[in-house]
Amino acid sequence: MDDKHVVIVGGGFAGLNAAKQLADRRGLTVTLIDRRNHHLFQPLLYQVAMAGLSPADIAAPIRSILSRHENVRVINSEVTRVDAENNQLQTTDEDIDYDYLLLACGAMHSYFGHDEWEEHAPGLKSIEQATEIRRRVLSAFERAEVTHDADDRRRLLTFVVVGGGPTGVELAGAIGEMSRFTLARDFRNIDAKLARIILIEAGPRILPMFAQKLSARATRDLESLGVQVWTDSSVTEINADGVDVSGETIRSATVLWAAGVKASALGTDSGFDCDRAGRIHVGSDLSVPLHSNVFVAGDQCAFVDPETERQLPGIAPVATQQGRFIAAAIVADRQQQPRGEFRYRDKGQMATIGRSRAITEVGKFRLTGLFAWLVWLVVHIYFLTGFRNRLFVVLSWAWSFFTFRRGARLIVSKNWRSYSDPKSS
Amino acid sequence: MDDKHVVIVGGGFAGLNAAKQLADRRGLTVTLIDRRNHHLFQPLLYQVAMAGLSPADIAAPIRSILSRHENVRVINSEVTRVDAENNQLQTTDEDIDYDYLLLACGAMHSYFGHDEWEEHAPGLKSIEQATEIRRRVLSAFERAEVTHDADDRRRLLTFVVVGGGPTGVELAGAIGEMSRFTLARDFRNIDAKLARIILIEAGPRILPMFAQKLSARATRDLESLGVQVWTDSSVTEINADGVDVSGETIRSATVLWAAGVKASALGTDSGFDCDRAGRIHVGSDLSVPLHSNVFVAGDQCAFVDPETERQLPGIAPVATQQGRFIAAAIVADRQQQPRGEFRYRDKGQMATIGRSRAITEVGKFRLTGLFAWLVWLVVHIYFLTGFRNRLFVVLSWAWSFFTFRRGARLIVSKNWRSYSDPKSS
């Protein structure tokens, strides 16, 4: 048999896990394409935004992760279109033919038709966005320290997080904790403890994917860190002054977006059948109807769990399991075995609130408080890719936990040019 | 006596050391102003540019370093002008009166009248510039991997470093080492070992501040890492294609600038008597003629060593000693004691070449090779501010040393917006 060429688009959890499963298989060559050079451990990205970890602690070069597998090639390029009729895809550099294709490009933030909000309310999907959020949050405290205007100070010390899912809860909790414990002792003019943090959720409760009781506990934990939780509240406007919420205006210098997501535009641009969020519809084996050699996984995949009859959530375990299933399906094809049907094995879910609290739900088994947080810690360290990162993250956390300090409190500008000339900026 | 107000502009080695010496002194209040929120350990900045360390490993918030000293206030703002006649300075936020002033704003790169070169040849003074250099160097290898054009590949794998001082030598050595050891095994199409690295020096030898013999040894060490050293070579043009050097044109996608520096413009803008590089002339007690309450330290200070009759070099030990001397002079004033005269105690100098070689010179005592590198390592770890940073840097280095890997190989973009949409970039 000739070698079959498997092309994987995207080096997230789905793509990377598929590539690892296909590595060193006889009769297959694998090309992984990503326009970023690194795999990102998204579940800990909020820690970079909150100055607890450095970008390199949670990101590793894809090329380096896969370097010892001879049959895997990594290309740093951008895929612009898939031509499924001709088994070919276009990148900004060249056209590439494939025998099998895995689309795993992930998702980006959706502002529900208000793209102009993004400038005033960055989301949290990339290292760049995390360092931008870090810059905004830390700068707000610095500006509050120098201003002599009380109204301005109040605006600078008001932080609004839109979206009560796990990311929104983690961001709001971390700002609460940072202002209460880390920053409070460093400022002279402002009392960082008086920072107002408002978490806005359109639905009736935060963390709706968790049991009612856990979501109530998370609300109480947030409140103890000074976070106000506003449920049943819709955002109607975001601009440089702040946020309009259900008729009220909150003046705020720092608004963060953790609400909707939509899939990469590659699915709709290439003419695949997509849902409203741009996710590509797939069959029970995760392949695209009429193109059984094209698979989709992760946040880009519209897959309704036959058990719960709900779209699977956009989380790392789903992407990982889908990536591995697809790799196994390709191997099964080669051995002329049936592919089987994808089933998500739900290992539970968790969300963390501040420095030492979390909620964890595994089936009917529920945990809260410090013990849930310790479980969260162990699970996240275990899954973090690569020995070095794992070790460094543990040390960073241990250091922050015992000293209440944060190691990465850097305000880094967007402009690299001639910073040392006061006149030029 | 009334409290005297000491204002320090700049949180580098000079300003921070002066602030620490003045902290908790009765009868003094201290305000340190910096437009960055962090103190930067400049001697290791090239390691960030070369993906060996994360920014947070070598930078710490000034506010946090000084937080336990009640009489010290830190302001994140930008000084635009000094009015020495009225003992006042202007910032972008407010005007501030002082009794004593210490100017320690540091230096920036000088392109000798060719400011348009900066875009094509970034210098290395800030975290932003370091991550920009990291982005350019790593991206060049990634682009070389995908191109099908042999000329383009050669241009992408040609790296030019302008300036044969310690920073230029460290950058060139690190690129040589990274291409030979770290990257070589990760690429499929290109042989990273074939990268051409050219170090350009206008004078007759690199590292002219060292003894002739040591500079020859450094040249040999660089050559063993694949770096060509071009001495007596003048750069006449830098643009997107590459560099013109003494009549030849080198096509290169990555040019780095480590040649001239000039002082912050604050000195000339405020009407102080400055030398050609913008450094402010001071007397033997480091105060400005006619304004004995205004001091200057570090890279901004024009001070000719009475022993060597040469301007003191722009290195951390000079800035540290000057900052401490000035703090002592202010305390002496308060006690109506004489200030004394500043004398630089030369503790020697060192430069590192690649992973395990360095040159060290202390008076007539000279070291080379691995032993010099170990001395370099111990000295740099010892002086790195703060326990956490020190521990993390040691671990990063140990990890890189034994695995030949680099922990921070991230290509981070300048734009944080909507990265996940392939159409938007």
Side-chain angles (χ1 to χ4, degrees):
Chain A
M1 282 190 294
D2 282 348
D3 262 20
K4 294 288 182 189
H5 187 206
V6 182
V7 174
I8 300 171
V9 186
F13 285 102
L16 197 59
N17 277 289
K20 282 181 177 171
Q21 296 291 315
L22 296 171
D24 307 324
R25 296 257 178 199
R26 278 194 17 218
L28 292 176
T29 59
V30 178
T31 301
L32 191 153
I33 309 175
D34 197 308
R35 69 196 147 137
R36 311 309 306 274
N37 82 325
H38 51 270
H39 168 74
L40 184 61
F41 193 79
Q42 288 255 7
L44 290 178
L45 191 56
Y46 84 97
Q47 291 256 359
V48 174
M50 291 297 130
L53 293 174
S54 277
D57 293 337
I58 60 157
I62 300 168
R63 187 176 293 297
S64 171
I65 298 172
L66 296 170
S67 68
R68 64 203 165 80
H69 305 298
E70 287 294 329
N71 70 329
V72 182
R73 191 167 65 122
V74 176
I75 290 181
N76 187 205
S77 189
E78 192 165 326
V79 175
T80 49
R81 204 174 174 285
V82 175
D83 180 356
E85 299 302 326
N86 296 306
N87 293 332
Q88 193 183 60
L89 51 80
Q90 293 158 17
T91 76
T92 43
D93 293 297
E94 61 190 320
D95 293 349
I96 296 176
D97 295 319
Y98 61 80
D99 298 302
Y100 288 99
L101 177 65
L102 165 54
L103 294 175
C105 306
M108 53 187 286
H109 283 283
S110 165
Y111 289 83
F112 308 125
H114 292 279
D115 287 349
E116 72 280 10
W117 292 356
E118 186 178 22
E119 187 187 342
H120 308 291
L124 185 65
K125 281 277 171 196
S126 66
I127 290 284
E128 288 81 2
Q129 288 168 339
T131 51
E132 173 67 13
I133 290 175
R134 183 178 75 183
R135 189 183 72 76
R136 289 185 186 210
V137 171
L138 296 177
S139 297
F141 284 101
E142 293 292 343
R143 301 315 302 154
E145 173 82 356
V146 290
T147 187
H148 293 282
D149 180 299
D151 284 348
D152 198 37
R153 192 177 306 129
R154 198 172 311 109
R155 187 180 70 89
L156 287 162
L157 291 179
T158 301
F159 300 84
V160 177
V161 179
V162 183
T167 303
V169 168
E170 280 157 1
L171 284 173
I175 299 175
E177 188 184 300
M178 184 156 70
S179 58
R180 257 139 201 80
F181 299 106
T182 311
L183 299 178
R185 57 182 166 191
D186 282 0
F187 288 88
R188 296 287 178 266
N189 297 337
I190 58 169
D191 183 352
K193 286 199 288 295
L194 296 183
R196 301 190 301 171
I197 303 128
I198 300 170
L199 178 64
I200 295 174
E201 166 58 38
R205 63 186 177 103
I206 59 168
L207 300 170
M209 61 292 281
F210 286 85
Q212 177 90 44
K213 219 174 140 184
L214 287 180
S215 125
R217 172 65 188 260
T219 303
R220 282 206 309 285
D221 285 348
L222 282 171
E223 282 165 352
S224 75
L225 292 169
V227 178
Q228 277 183 17
V229 179
W230 295 16
T231 50
D232 288 318
S233 301
S234 308
V235 169
T236 52
E237 169 69 11
I238 304 178
N239 55 40
D241 282 337
V243 186
D244 291 354
V245 186
S246 305
E248 275 181 78
T249 297
I250 311 170
R251 295 189 69 232
S252 166
T254 316
V255 183
L256 308 180
W257 187 262
V261 294
K262 62 176 184 239
S264 151
L266 188 63
T268 46
D269 289 351
S270 303
F272 291 109
D273 181 26
C274 296
D275 70 5
R276 285 202 317 160
R279 292 179 291 231
I280 301 170
H281 287 295
V282 294
S284 61
D285 64 353
L286 302 181
S287 74
V288 174
L290 305 179
H291 297 287
S292 66
N293 64 333
V294 177
F295 297 90
V296 190
D299 289 359
Q300 201 177 6
C301 175
F303 183 85
V304 174
D305 191 332
E307 281 172 39
T308 63
E309 295 183 349
R310 292 214 309 232
Q311 162 74 29
L312 288 176
I315 56 178
V318 172
T320 301
Q321 291 181 26
Q322 289 183 332
R324 289 185 183 152
F325 173 87
I326 290 163
I330 291 170
V331 172
D333 270 19
R334 299 282 293 155
Q335 298 167 344
Q336 294 168 331
Q337 302 289 322
R339 287 177 177 182
E341 299 192 338
F342 177 70
R343 278 283 179 283
Y344 175 55
R345 290 181 303 282
D346 188 351
K347 306 246 179 82
Q349 51 186 353
M350 41 182 65
T352 174
I353 304 114
R355 199 173 75 104
S356 54
R357 276 172 280 204
I359 57 173
T360 300
E361 184 171 309
V362 184
K364 289 189 175 165
F365 186 67
R366 293 168 194 167
L367 288 176
T368 57
L370 179 63
F371 188 62
W373 183 79
L374 289 172
V375 171
W376 174 91
L377 192 69
V378 169
V379 168
H380 281 77
I381 290 168
Y382 179 79
F383 282 106
L384 193 53
T385 311
F387 160 75
R388 175 188 186 264
N389 287 349
R390 223 175 275 171
L391 174 70
F392 276 61
V393 169
V394 174
L395 289 170
S396 283
W397 275 337
W399 186 83
S400 302
F401 189 85
F402 290 111
T403 65
F404 282 96
R405 289 180 179 256
R406 284 169 183 264
R409 263 170 61 195
L410 303 183
I411 299 178
V412 176
S413 145
K414 288 167 282 187
N415 179 16
W416 59 268
R417 284 195 187 75
S418 283
Y419 224 91
S420 28
D421 183 359
K423 294 305 210 165
S424 69
S425 58
Chain B
M1 283 191 294
D2 283 348
D3 261 21
K4 294 287 182 188
H5 186 206
V6 182
V7 174
I8 300 171
V9 186
F13 285 101
L16 196 60
N17 277 288
K20 282 182 176 170
Q21 296 292 313
L22 295 172
D24 306 323
R25 296 260 179 198
R26 279 195 17 218
L28 291 177
T29 60
V30 178
T31 301
L32 191 151
I33 308 174
D34 197 307
R35 68 194 150 139
R36 311 310 307 271
N37 83 323
H38 51 270
H39 169 74
L40 183 61
F41 193 80
Q42 289 256 6
L44 290 178
L45 191 56
Y46 84 98
Q47 291 255 359
V48 174
M50 292 297 131
L53 293 174
S54 278
D57 293 336
I58 60 156
I62 299 168
R63 186 176 296 297
S64 171
I65 298 172
L66 296 171
S67 69
R68 66 202 163 82
H69 306 298
E70 288 293 327
N71 71 329
V72 181
R73 192 167 64 120
V74 176
I75 290 181
N76 187 206
S77 188
E78 191 165 328
V79 175
T80 49
R81 202 170 175 286
V82 176
D83 179 356
E85 299 301 327
N86 296 305
N87 293 332
Q88 194 182 60
L89 50 80
Q90 293 158 17
T91 76
T92 43
D93 292 296
E94 60 190 324
D95 294 348
I96 296 176
D97 295 318
Y98 61 81
D99 297 301
Y100 288 98
L101 177 65
L102 165 54
L103 294 175
C105 306
M108 54 187 283
H109 282 285
S110 165
Y111 288 82
F112 307 125
H114 292 279
D115 287 350
E116 73 277 11
W117 291 357
E118 186 177 22
E119 187 186 341
H120 309 292
L124 184 66
K125 282 277 171 194
S126 67
I127 290 283
E128 288 81 1
Q129 288 170 337
T131 51
E132 172 67 13
I133 289 175
R134 183 177 76 184
R135 190 183 71 76
R136 290 185 184 209
V137 171
L138 295 177
S139 296
F141 285 102
E142 293 292 343
R143 301 314 303 155
E145 173 81 357
V146 289
T147 186
H148 294 281
D149 180 300
D151 285 348
D152 198 37
R153 191 176 308 129
R154 197 173 310 110
R155 187 182 68 88
L156 287 161
L157 291 178
T158 301
F159 300 85
V160 177
V161 179
V162 183
T167 303
V169 167
E170 279 157 2
L171 285 173
I175 299 175
E177 190 186 297
M178 186 157 70
S179 59
R180 257 141 200 79
F181 299 105
T182 311
L183 299 179
R185 56 182 166 191
D186 282 0
F187 288 89
R188 296 284 179 270
N189 297 337
I190 58 170
D191 183 353
K193 287 199 287 295
L194 297 184
R196 300 192 301 171
I197 304 129
I198 301 170
L199 178 64
I200 295 174
E201 165 59 37
R205 63 185 176 101
I206 60 168
L207 301 170
M209 61 291 282
F210 286 83
Q212 176 90 45
K213 217 173 142 184
L214 287 181
S215 125
R217 172 65 188 260
T219 302
R220 282 204 312 282
D221 285 347
L222 283 171
E223 281 165 353
S224 75
L225 292 169
V227 178
Q228 277 183 15
V229 179
W230 294 16
T231 50
D232 287 317
S233 301
S234 307
V235 169
T236 51
E237 168 69 9
I238 303 178
N239 55 41
D241 281 337
V243 186
D244 290 354
V245 186
S246 305
E248 274 180 78
T249 297
I250 311 171
R251 294 190 69 233
S252 166
T254 316
V255 183
L256 308 179
W257 186 262
V261 293
K262 62 176 183 236
S264 152
L266 188 62
T268 46
D269 289 351
S270 302
F272 290 109
D273 181 26
C274 296
D275 69 6
R276 285 203 315 161
R279 291 180 292 231
I280 301 171
H281 287 294
V282 294
S284 61
D285 65 354
L286 303 180
S287 75
V288 173
L290 306 179
H291 297 287
S292 65
N293 64 334
V294 177
F295 295 91
V296 190
D299 288 359
Q300 201 177 7
C301 175
F303 185 85
V304 174
D305 190 333
E307 280 171 41
T308 63
E309 295 184 346
R310 291 214 309 231
Q311 162 74 31
L312 288 175
I315 56 177
V318 171
T320 301
Q321 290 181 27
Q322 289 182 333
R324 289 186 183 153
F325 172 87
I326 289 164
I330 292 171
V331 171
D333 270 19
R334 301 281 294 156
Q335 297 167 343
Q336 295 170 327
Q337 301 289 321
R339 290 177 174 181
E341 299 193 338
F342 176 71
R343 278 282 179 283
Y344 175 55
R345 289 180 304 281
D346 188 352
K347 305 245 179 85
Q349 53 185 350
M350 42 184 62
T352 173
I353 304 113
R355 199 173 75 103
S356 54
R357 275 171 281 204
I359 56 173
T360 299
E361 184 171 309
V362 184
K364 287 187 177 167
F365 186 68
R366 292 165 194 169
L367 289 175
T368 58
L370 180 63
F371 189 62
W373 184 79
L374 289 172
V375 171
W376 175 90
L377 192 69
V378 169
V379 168
H380 281 78
I381 290 168
Y382 180 78
F383 282 107
L384 193 53
T385 310
F387 160 74
R388 174 186 187 265
N389 287 350
R390 227 177 271 170
L391 175 70
F392 277 60
V393 169
V394 174
L395 289 170
S396 283
W397 276 337
W399 186 82
S400 303
F401 189 85
F402 290 112
T403 65
F404 282 96
R405 289 180 180 257
R406 283 168 185 266
R409 264 171 62 194
L410 303 182
I411 299 179
V412 176
S413 144
K414 287 167 282 185
N415 179 17
W416 59 268
R417 283 196 188 75
S418 283
Y419 224 91
S420 29
D421 183 359
K423 294 305 211 169
S424 69
S425 56

